[in-house]
């Protein structure tokens, strides 16, 4: 007999609700206002946020051909450097720094607005509560390794935000 330990998730389907949030154009100050709504949810251990985003859409068909690094760096490496700079900025959990990164690079991160809102909620959480908050990227890939200006690519990154809340006497 073959026994599988993997779950399809079917047994959990009635134990949670999915609330979709569609985010339009939002600046840093507006993000900080929305953080008032999202921070209490972020603090609730029964809530899970899923923020989905591609990263750089590179190539003439996307009207974005910026890279970072020395001129002799392969294009795909320059895209990776650009994206990793953004990922490092997100890991600082500083919404203003992320906004500055976007303004400086114009990187075509589709989920930049939901990411900004999440960072604003984290900023508010850190101001109002105690606990350790950490964001770590787990994986990064590109749809193709661009070597010519006529190539195109979309980058993908996955990460996780974790919160280890401390109770009032400072213990976990």
């Amino acid at each position: 007999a073959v026994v599988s330990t993997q779950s399809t998730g079917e047994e959990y389907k009635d134990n949670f609700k999915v609330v979709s949030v569609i985010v339009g154009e939002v600046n840093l100050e507006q993000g900080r206002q929305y953080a008032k709504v999202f921070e209490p949810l972020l603090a609730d251990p029964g809530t899970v946020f899923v923020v989905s985003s591609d990263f750089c859409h590179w190539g003439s068909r996307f009207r974005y051909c910026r890279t970072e690094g020395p001129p002799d760096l392969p294009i795909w490496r320059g895209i990776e450097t650009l994206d990793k700079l953004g990922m490092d900025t997100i890991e600082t959990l500083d919404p203003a720094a992320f906004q500055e990164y976007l303004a400086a690079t114009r990187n075509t991160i589709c989920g930049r607005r939901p990411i900004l809102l999440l960072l604003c909620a984290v900023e508010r959480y850190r101001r109002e509560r105690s606990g350790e908050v950490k964001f770590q990227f787990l994986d990064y890939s590109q749809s193709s390794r661009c070597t010519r200006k006529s190539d195109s690519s979309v980058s993908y990154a996955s990460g996780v935000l974790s919160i280890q809340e401390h109770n009032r006497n400072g213990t976990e």
Side-chain angles (χ1 to χ4, degrees):
V2 175
V3 178
S4 173
T5 58
Q6 292 188 334
S7 168
T8 61
E10 189 68 26
E11 66 272 22
Y12 300 109
K13 72 176 183 166
D14 295 323
N15 295 332
F16 65 90
K17 293 179 184 176
V18 174
V19 178
S20 298
V21 178
I22 299 170
V23 181
E25 190 64 42
V26 63
N27 63 34
L28 183 59
E29 196 51 46
Q30 291 166 326
R32 287 179 171 146
Q33 291 298 314
Y34 286 117
K36 293 176 185 175
V37 173
F38 291 114
E39 184 276 332
L41 297 170
L42 189 65
D44 179 354
T47 302
V48 174
F49 280 78
V50 177
V51 177
S52 178
S53 179
D54 300 335
F55 266 64
C56 185
H57 290 63
W58 192 92
S60 59
R61 70 186 181 124
F62 299 117
R63 291 188 219 115
Y64 187 81
C65 295
R66 180 185 175 131
T67 60
E68 288 289 322
D72 61 337
L73 198 64
I75 294 171
W76 68 272
R77 278 277 193 218
I79 297 167
E80 179 180 64
T81 302
L82 175 71
D83 281 336
K84 296 248 172 143
L85 181 61
M87 293 162 65
D88 290 346
T89 303
I90 291 167
E91 286 181 343
T92 70
L93 299 172
D94 181 348
F98 182 59
Q99 190 73 22
E100 289 168 14
Y101 163 81
L102 292 172
T105 65
R106 302 295 221 200
N107 196 349
T108 53
I109 299 171
C110 288
R112 63 191 172 276
R113 295 174 191 110
I115 292 169
L116 181 65
L117 287 183
L118 181 64
L119 294 176
C120 287
V122 167
E123 178 183 63
R124 186 173 182 88
Y125 175 91
R126 290 170 129 181
R127 194 171 52 244
E128 307 231 344
R129 303 174 193 267
S130 65
E132 182 182 345
V133 184
K134 181 179 179 184
F135 192 98
Q136 180 180 6
F137 279 94
L138 306 174
D139 199 17
Y140 174 82
S141 63
Q142 296 174 357
S143 62
S144 65
R145 288 189 166 190
C146 297
T147 57
R148 300 180 315 258
K149 295 255 185 213
S150 59
D151 292 341
S152 63
S153 176
V154 177
S155 305
Y156 308 95
S158 61
V160 63
L161 176 75
S162 59
I163 299 175
Q164 185 66 49
E165 190 166 311
H166 300 287
N167 64 26
R168 290 196 172 122
N169 64 10
T171 61
E172 297 176 2

